[in-house]
């Protein structure tokens, strides 16, 4: 009887000890699994951050390259054609050396190169932007007639830009007559009168002004 009781006690202790070992092993496995999951999550997070940083560096490099390219083309417009470029927040104004004969609205052959270069710059750097061609006249004639003449000049230049591949739906034209004269009072064959018979391009879109201003800055 006593022997059987001892055997039962030993058996009970063995069961309890075995159960304790099993519980301890389960806890250890659970801790190890959680630690491994945390380590894998940290590695994944580090990899994601590294990809994000690499992406930002690529974007910055691309932006720098684009700005250098735009700076080069804007410089060419200034030096080769004498263009005056003014950048504002949401628009860029190109005062191009495109002029007209007295009482004439035809695009001159000598202005084709400047217009073609502008069209290439607009296509490359301002796709999707609205471009308005503003026409002007010298003060000879009546204000009403000059307003009509300046509109015909703007229309002629607009049509030429469409021929160069610019989007017809994004091009507008407007005439301002004899307003905003470059040489006040100069008309017909007077010195500087040709400067009053001109067109100006206004490119309008979000951030085009700020991007162009960045490109216009010294490297």
């Amino acid at each position: 009887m006593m022997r059987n009781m001892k055997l039962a006690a030993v058996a009970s202790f063995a069961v309890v000890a075995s159960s304790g070992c099993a519980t301890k092993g389960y806890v250890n496995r659970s801790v190890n699994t959680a630690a491994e999951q945390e380590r894998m999550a940290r590695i994944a997070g580090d990899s994601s951050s590294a990809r994000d940083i690499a992406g930002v560096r690529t974007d910055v490099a691309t932006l720098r390259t684009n700005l250098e390219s735009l700076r080069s083309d804007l410089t060419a417009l200034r030096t080769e054609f004498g263009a005056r470029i003014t950048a504002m927040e949401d628009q860029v104004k190109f005062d191009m050396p495109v002029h007209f004969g007295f009482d004439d609205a035809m695009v001159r052959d000598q202005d084709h190169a400047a217009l073609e270069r502008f069209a290439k710059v607009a296509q490359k750097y301002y796709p999707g932007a609205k471009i308005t061609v503003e026409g002007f006249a010298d003060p000879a004639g009546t204000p009403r007639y000059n307003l009509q003449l300046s509109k015909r000049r703007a229309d002629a230049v607009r049509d030429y830009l469409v021929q160069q591949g610019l989007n017809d739906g994004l091009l507008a034209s407007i005439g301002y007559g004899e307003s905003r004269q470059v040489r006040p009072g100069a008309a017909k064959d007077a010195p500087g009168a040709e400067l009053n018979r001109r067109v100006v391009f206004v490119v309008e879109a979000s951030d085009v002004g700020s991007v162009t201003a960045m490109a216009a800055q010294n490297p």
Side-chain angles (χ1 to χ4, degrees):
M1 181 70 174
M2 182 64 66
R3 184 171 179 274
N4 290 338
M5 291 177 62
K6 289 182 178 180
L7 289 176
V10 171
S12 298
F13 176 78
V15 170
V16 171
S18 176
S19 175
C21 291
T23 301
K24 183 178 181 180
Y26 173 78
V27 171
N28 288 339
R29 285 195 300 274
S30 298
V31 170
N32 291 337
T33 299
E36 180 64 16
Q37 290 176 344
E38 181 180 355
R39 187 179 72 85
M40 295 301 294
R42 185 168 59 252
I43 292 175
D46 291 343
S47 298
S48 178
S49 297
R51 287 194 299 269
D52 291 342
I53 293 173
V56 170
R57 287 175 176 170
T58 299
D59 291 342
V60 170
T62 300
L63 176 60
R64 183 178 294 113
T65 299
N66 290 340
L67 286 175
E68 289 298 328
S69 179
L70 176 57
R71 177 179 292 118
S72 176
D73 285 334
L74 293 180
T75 299
L77 281 176
R78 291 190 179 104
T79 58
E80 295 179 29
F81 301 103
R84 291 183 298 169
I85 304 169
T86 305
M88 288 161 276
E89 183 177 355
D90 292 326
Q91 65 177 221
V92 184
K93 184 175 293 186
F94 291 81
D95 195 341
M96 300 293 294
V98 176
H99 303 110
F100 298 84
F102 175 67
D103 197 21
D104 190 7
M106 291 184 60
V107 177
R108 304 180 305 177
D109 291 343
Q110 59 263 44
D111 292 328
H112 288 180
L115 291 174
E116 290 165 8
R117 181 65 66 84
F118 171 78
K120 290 179 180 178
V121 169
Q123 288 174 317
K124 184 176 182 180
Y125 301 106
Y126 310 116
K130 177 185 176 182
I131 300 176
T132 301
V133 184
E134 300 179 343
F136 298 88
D138 70 34
T142 66
R144 181 178 180 181
Y145 179 80
N146 288 335
L147 192 65
Q148 296 171 345
L149 177 60
S150 64
K151 178 62 164 63
R152 287 194 285 119
R153 287 170 174 166
D155 289 342
V157 172
R158 177 189 178 282
D159 292 343
Y160 190 85
L161 293 178
V162 171
Q163 295 174 11
Q164 302 308 307
L166 292 187
N167 189 332
D168 183 26
L170 294 174
L171 279 171
S173 60
I174 186 172
Y176 284 103
E178 57 192 68
S179 65
R180 289 156 53 183
Q181 296 176 34
V182 178
R183 293 289 186 272
K188 296 184 179 180
D189 297 327
E194 185 182 66
L195 300 178
N196 292 329
R197 303 189 292 263
R198 72 195 193 282
V199 291
V200 172
F201 304 123
V202 178
V203 182
E204 300 178 74
S206 177
D207 294 333
V208 297
S210 58
V211 171
T212 302
M214 290 173 62
Q217 295 173 356
N218 293 327

